[in-house]
Every structure is written in C-alpha cells, then in structure tokens.
Amino acid sequence: MLEALRRGSQGIVVKILLAILILSFAVWGVADVFTGASRNSIAQIGNVEISPDEYQRAMQNELNALSYRAGRRITAEQARAFGLDQQVLNRLIGWAAVDTHSHELELALSDTAIVDGLKRDPAFHGADGKYSRSTVDAVMSQLNLSEAGFLKLRRQEQLRRQVTGALADAVVVPDVMIDAVNAYREEARVLTYTRIDPDKVVKIEPPDEAKLKETYDSNKHDFATQPTRKLAVLMLSVEDAKKSTTVTDEEAKAAYEQEKSNYDTPEKRRIQQISFPDKAAAEAAKKAIDAGESFVDAAKAAGAKESDIDLGLVTKDQLFDPNIRDAAFALEKDKVSVPVEGRFATVLLRVTAIEPGTSSTFDAVKQKVVDKIANEKAHVEINKLHDEVDDGRAGGLPLKDIAEKIKLTFLDIPSVDRKGLLPDGKPAIDRPGGPAVIAAGFQGQVGVEQDPVELPDGGFAWIDVLGITPAVDRPYDDVKDDVKALYEKNERARQIREFADKLVERLKKGETMDAIAADAGGKVETTPPLTRATTPQGIARTAVAQAFALPKGGARSADSDDGLTRQVFQVKDVVPAPAPTKEQKERIATELRGNLENDAISAYVGSLQRRFGSSINHAAFDRLRGANTQ
C-alpha cells in the first residue's frame, strides 16, 4: 500500500488537494489535551470552538486524498487504525491556535490578494501552464465548498503561511552545526578482523540427562505444540467481483475508440539537441555544420559534451517544449534542423534513429480492452458487495450463509497455525493476502466481529474465529532429540563467545592480529574505510556499529555476517571526516533547516496552545469518529 501511496502522490489532482488541505505540519500533532470543551463542540482553543461539521469536513478531505493516492477506498475504520482521526483533530487545534494569534496580530488579506495568489499557484494551472478557472471549480466541487467558502479557506491558509513562514524564514543553520553533522557522518574506521573457525575451537561432550532436562525446563515454550485456530473466512476478491459483471462487444468497442491511442505504439526518435543562449549563436553553429563541421563538434564548441546532447529514444509526448517537440518529429533522419526557439533556449536538433509507431486494431487488443473494463466494473462491484456483506453481518447471518447468498468464496478452516499452515503442512489460504488474513484471525477472539482485511487487489476478507486451541507443552520424552539439538546449539555458541572474549583480551594486551588469527583458525582481513552508514562486505553490520564506540587500537567481537560464528576485530585506523564539499554543505543545510523549521513551528504552536488553553470533549469525539467507548 505504501508504494501505491507514493505513486499516487505524483498526480495533479492530489497536488491540488494537498494545496487546499492547508499546512499539514506533523508537528501539530502534539496538542495539549485537557478535559472540557462545550457540548456543541469536540474541541476548543481559547474562545475558538471546533465543531463536529468542521472536523467531519477535514476528515473527509483527508480520506478522499488518501483514497486517491492509494487507488482504492480507505474506510473510516482503516483511517482510525492509522490514527488519522486523532491527527486531523490535533491539526485542527493547531490551526485554530494559529488563527487566533493571526487575529490577535490583526493580519488580513483582501479577496483581490487571494485571487492573485490563486492565479500564481501552479496547482491551479492548466496543461498550457496558465491559470485555469475550471481547475479551481473542480477543486471546489471535490471539497464541497462554495466560492465564498473556498476563498475563506484560502485566506486562512495564506494567513497561516504568513505567520509560520516568518518563523521558518528566521531559521539559520550555523556552519558549526553543518560541520558537526558532516564530521559524524563522514568519519571512517579501518578494521582488521578474523573469523573464528568453530571446528577448531568447539568441542561438545555428549550431555547427560540432567543437562538435557535443564535445557528442556528452561525452554519448554520452544518445544510446545503450535497454537491453532478454527476460522471461517469470506473472500471478496476482484476475481470474485468479476463473476457478477459482463462486458459486451459494444462496450468494448466504445472504450477502444475512446482510448485507442493507449493501445497504439507511438513513434519513437533518438534525438540530439544543442542549446544556445540566443538565436544568433544557433544560426552561426548551423552555418558551421552546413560547411562540414560535425554536430558533436558544434556541441563541444557550445560547451556541451556528447553525452549532454543526447535526449535518448523518446516519444513525442515525452518532449515538454511544444516547439521543440513539433520540430523534432518533423525532421528527417540524420538532418540538422534550423534554429528552433523553445521556451527556455534556442536549439539545433538532429534525429539519429526513428522507430515507427504502429496502429492497433480492435480485434488485436480486444482481450486487453475487455480485461480493463472488467477490472473497472469489478472495483465498483466490490463496493456494492462489501455493503451487502455488511448488511448480512448486521442481520446476524454467518459468513457461510452470506457467501452462499451473494455467491462469494467461503473457506472453512478447521485448524491453522500462525504460519498459515494446515495440519498436513499445506497453506490454508493459497491466494494473495492469505498471510494477512491468517494474522487477523490470530488477533481476533471467538464471538467478536472484526473489521475486514484489505486484500492486495483491492478486495476484502471477513474472518470469524470459531475456536482457539492453545499451545500445549509436549512431554520431555517426545522431544528429547530436539532438546539435544538445542543444547548443542547453545553450547556451541557459548564456547565460541568465550573463546572470542579471550582473543579480544589478548588484543587489548598488545598481541598482533596475526597471532590471534592463527589461533582462531582464520586469516587476517582489512576493511576499506567504513562510515557509520556503510553496509560492509565480509564483516557484520553490528561490528561496524561497535567500532565507532572504540578508539584506535580498540578491539571487540561480534556475530559473523552469516550468524554461524563470531569475528574478532580491531580498529586499525580512525579517519577524520574531510571538509564537506559545497554540495554536501547545501544538502546538510537543507536537511537541518527543515528539522529546525519544524522544531520552531512545533514550539510556536505548543506555546500558543498553552497560552490560549486547549481542551477536547473526548466523549463527543469518540461518538463522532465511531470509536468503541466501552
């Protein structure tokens, strides 16, 4: 789901929603909470009350944006599980505190200033890069706001930005802080190390009965039977939903005609481009090329390398500038264009390869079209079937009866362990989302209804726990072989650890790593300089972490990277961090500035809340969000 959120966050609709959803500083989730607030509000900051309607509108906007990014419906129950409801309320309290302070400072913005700001905001520009009134109308419709309400929301946002922006602009990152971060991150250690050969140092004597029984008594839980559960599972997948849908040839043909370009293969061209500061320079280069100079040499004369001028194999839609796009795709192969005046530079173009596009036919792509429509219909059908299952649950019907009534997949699982395996070792649910369903089954209790589990394809699964069989200790005689294996494993680890401790003490007393390696049965190896962030080869990450707590010459041991033995290591050299480059300083400064800005705003909002006083009507809030208050 996280990956879906990342992908979805790039869409223009989401960017617009995020622009309207106002400053969503995470630091505003630290509201001071007391008891109180009037019965007609769910929270109060100073004299400002937060109404249930205000909370529901903000919560719905967040749900809409989150669902859009995820590519599927996010329910209120799921949002509550994420803690979104509390975050929204805390944010509203933070906003109210800033609004109260803005009013106290007598800050104001005219409607004209608000409209001018809208026109400059890229979130409200159309495909041509200009202000689009239709985009604004779409956002107002999405947020269910009138024009007056939308302007009010924008005014609040801009005033909040003025106040918090002033705090952010005042943040200065000292050079000493940048240097300290760079010194911490870029300091390096060089280690010498050797690996202990277990076969050379481990000698395990056969254990007697007393040692085996001691091992058994200390680790009974390791030898117990696995707890199991009897589950009833109703599955609603996209494939299940497809069974309730049909796609006619007429629908498929109409969809194909509407989206034909999506099934066509566009022409691709490998394009080279030289940029010039003005048209005169481009015309001079074109004359030189016409006189026999190569395109690459002309690029070098303009200060570009051959790798800089290659735009790659691209489709027409991948070229942003319309003038350059049209000229490049009208050019003959290996010909050099006349100077083309783009939005940001004048360029010369050359096409070095052309891959012709192909036009699709309905018959050739019919199955793809049908599958696409069927999937779209299935996702709509899932919402409908989801509601039907909920209605059946509300009516007290068992999951099996609901499945039979609306023709969904029902699984009767008489006994399954936490790994999702049946007694015969086969998976209980051999389909995507199975592990999550089993995990939910082990979280539930008999007779307690749970929220459905979301499946990877956007479907759902409902689980009822019908029976619980707890883990049972197995008798010693039944697991004697397993007990012996565990004893030998623990004894092996103990001997290796004690031997490693002795080797470390010898290093500390001045013995060489060569002598240590000889007794350990390994060889001496040396790492390259390792920083704290390095993922090393040949030596465990835990050893690197320990090394940065040691001075030069310090020694310790750690489990080997494969976990089979231990490695003894010594800090051969401490390499101070070099002075940061300009790029490093800028990157660290940007990171620190963001952290300091958040800290400043957090402190500011927290101080406002303490100054004005804030309270939450917990009973009203729990009723509003549908939380279980029992």
Side-chain angles (χ1 to χ4, degrees):
M1 182 167 141
L2 288 177
E3 182 57 32
L5 292 176
R6 285 195 217 53
R7 291 195 303 269
S9 66
Q10 302 304 313
I12 183 62
V13 175
V14 172
K15 290 179 180 178
I16 293 170
L17 282 171
L18 294 180
I20 296 302
L21 287 177
I22 318 178
L23 296 172
S24 299
F25 288 103
V27 295
W28 286 352
V30 293
D32 292 327
V33 177
F34 306 98
T35 58
S38 76
R39 294 184 179 180
N40 296 324
S41 66
I42 59 172
Q44 186 171 335
I45 177 84
N47 295 323
V48 178
E49 295 186 348
I50 298 171
S51 69
D53 288 344
E54 188 177 358
Y55 166 80
Q56 287 180 318
R57 182 169 58 249
M59 185 65 183
Q60 190 57 54
N61 288 340
E62 293 281 8
L63 275 177
N64 289 343
L66 186 60
S67 298
Y68 187 89
R69 293 195 294 272
R72 54 181 174 269
R73 184 183 71 168
I74 302 298
T75 66
E77 291 79 9
Q78 291 169 327
R80 189 165 67 245
F82 299 152
L84 186 64
D85 49 359
Q86 189 66 56
Q87 292 175 29
V88 169
L89 180 60
N90 288 344
R91 192 178 306 144
L92 287 172
I93 292 173
W95 291 343
V98 177
D99 291 343
T100 301
H101 194 212
S102 298
H103 180 72
E104 190 178 74
L105 296 174
E106 298 183 355
L107 299 179
L109 284 171
S110 66
D111 287 350
T112 301
I114 298 298
V115 173
D116 288 343
L118 277 176
K119 292 180 177 179
R120 292 192 301 270
D121 192 334
F124 301 101
H125 290 178
D128 59 358
K130 297 180 180 178
Y131 169 72
S132 169
R133 171 68 197 208
S134 61
T135 301
V136 176
D137 290 339
V139 173
M140 287 194 295
S141 175
Q142 181 76 31
L143 298 177
N144 195 26
L145 289 172
S146 65
E147 184 173 304
F150 179 71
L151 288 176
K152 178 183 177 182
L153 203 60
R154 285 289 294 189
R155 178 176 287 103
Q156 288 177 327
E157 176 191 3
Q158 293 302 318
L159 290 176
R160 290 164 186 162
R161 286 185 184 276
Q162 283 189 11
V163 176
T164 56
L167 286 172
D169 291 342
V171 168
V172 176
V173 182
D175 287 341
V176 66
M177 186 179 289
I178 296 174
D179 292 337
V181 171
N182 179 73
Y184 178 83
R185 291 180 178 175
E186 300 303 324
E187 180 188 6
R189 295 282 197 278
V190 177
L191 310 182
T192 57
Y193 65 96
T194 190
R195 178 186 176 96
I196 297 174
D197 182 356
D199 294 335
K200 186 170 182 178
V201 303
V202 174
K203 292 181 175 58
I204 300 177
E205 299 293 333
D208 56 26
E209 279 297 297
K211 289 180 179 179
L212 289 178
K213 286 189 175 180
E214 181 184 352
T215 301
Y216 170 77
D217 291 337
S218 302
N219 300 276
K220 277 187 177 181
H221 60 281
D222 290 338
F223 308 112
T225 62
Q226 290 291 320
T228 61
R229 297 209 167 190
K230 181 179 181 181
L231 304 177
V233 180
L234 188 156
M235 305 286 287
L236 170 54
S237 66
V238 169
E239 292 304 315
D240 292 323
K242 280 184 179 179
K243 296 174 185 177
S244 303
T245 65
T246 56
V247 180
T248 65
D249 283 349
E250 290 73 18
E251 285 180 296
K253 287 178 181 177
Y256 170 73
E257 292 301 329
Q258 279 187 333
E259 301 179 350
K260 183 177 182 301
S261 61
N262 293 340
Y263 300 100
D264 295 340
T265 302
E267 177 185 326
K268 291 184 177 181
R269 294 188 169 210
R270 185 169 294 280
I271 300 168
Q272 292 180 322
Q273 172 183 293
I274 308 174
S275 298
F276 298 92
D278 52 50
K279 187 175 181 180
E283 289 175 340
K286 178 65 165 67
K287 288 180 181 179
I289 293 171
D290 291 342
E293 186 177 36
S294 72
F295 195 80
V296 172
D297 287 342
K300 291 179 179 177
K305 295 181 293 187
E306 185 171 0
S307 58
D308 296 334
I309 65 175
D310 188 7
L311 301 185
L313 192 64
V314 296
T315 63
K316 193 171 184 178
D317 290 343
Q318 288 176 300
L319 295 177
F320 172 75
D321 192 301
N323 293 339
I324 294 175
R325 178 173 63 226
D326 294 341
F329 275 79
L331 198 59
E332 294 181 31
K333 182 176 177 292
D334 295 326
K335 297 289 186 181
V336 177
S337 71
V338 298
V340 180
E341 295 186 64
R343 289 182 175 178
F344 304 106
T346 300
V347 302
L348 291 180
L349 302 167
R350 182 173 71 163
V351 176
T352 61
I354 298 176
E355 290 186 4
T358 58
S359 267
S360 62
T361 64
F362 174 69
D363 290 337
V365 299
K366 179 180 177 180
Q367 194 55 50
K368 289 183 180 179
V369 177
V370 170
D371 288 344
K372 184 174 184 294
I373 298 173
N375 277 322
E376 291 172 350
K377 286 189 172 185
H379 281 90
V380 174
E381 186 69 13
I382 279 176
N383 291 332
K384 175 186 170 186
L385 293 171
H386 183 288
D387 292 341
E388 290 187 29
V389 174
D390 280 352
D391 290 343
R393 300 273 276 177
L397 291 178
L399 290 178
K400 184 176 182 180
D401 293 350
I402 298 172
E404 291 175 352
K405 181 179 179 182
I406 59 179
K407 297 180 174 55
L408 294 179
T409 300
F410 175 76
L411 302 176
D412 184 5
I413 305 175
S415 179
V416 63
D417 63 19
R418 286 186 181 275
K419 296 179 181 178
L421 300 178
L422 299 170
D424 61 4
K426 295 179 180 179
I429 304 178
D430 191 13
R431 58 166 63 193
V437 174
I438 297 300
F442 272 82
Q443 292 171 359
Q445 296 296 324
V446 175
V448 178
E449 187 175 308
Q450 302 181 80
D451 290 335
V453 173
E454 187 173 357
L455 301 177
D457 64 358
F460 297 90
W462 288 260
I463 306 102
D464 278 345
V465 180
L466 304 181
I468 298 176
T469 302
V472 177
D473 290 339
R474 290 191 288 172
Y476 167 74
D477 290 336
D478 291 353
V479 295
K480 189 172 181 178
D481 289 343
D482 294 334
V483 173
K484 183 179 179 181
L486 179 60
Y487 170 84
E488 291 177 347
K489 177 184 175 183
N490 292 343
E491 181 65 12
R492 175 190 176 94
R494 182 189 67 78
Q495 291 186 25
I496 292 174
R497 185 171 55 254
E498 289 181 355
F499 185 74
D501 290 343
K502 292 176 182 178
L503 297 181
V504 169
E505 288 302 316
R506 288 168 57 185
L507 279 172
K508 290 179 179 179
K509 291 176 180 178
E511 289 196 45
T512 66
M513 183 61 77
D514 288 329
I516 297 300
D519 289 347
K523 60 180 181 178
V524 178
E525 299 188 64
T526 304
T527 69
L530 306 172
T531 68
R532 286 178 169 86
T534 301
T535 300
Q537 291 185 346
I539 190 167
R541 187 75 188 85
T542 52
V544 177
Q546 291 183 58
F548 278 88
L550 298 174
K552 183 176 180 178
R556 281 192 187 172
S557 72
D559 285 334
S560 59
D561 51 351
D562 58 12
L564 299 178
T565 184
R566 289 185 76 79
Q567 293 167 318
V568 177
F569 64 90
Q570 187 172 35
V571 179
K572 181 180 180 181
D573 197 11
V574 175
V575 184
T581 64
K582 180 181 178 183
E583 292 74 17
Q584 285 176 315
K585 291 189 70 169
E586 290 175 351
R587 185 166 59 249
I588 294 172
T590 299
E591 178 184 338
L592 291 175
R593 185 175 295 108
N595 294 334
L596 292 173
E597 287 174 0
N598 282 344
D599 289 345
I601 294 171
S602 176
Y604 163 68
V605 174
S607 67
L608 289 180
Q609 291 175 199
R610 289 188 292 273
R611 175 183 164 194
F612 298 132
S614 62
S615 59
I616 293 177
N617 185 335
H618 291 285
F621 179 53
D622 286 340
R623 286 195 300 270
L624 187 64
R625 67 195 181 113
N628 186 352
T629 57
Q630 294 183 357

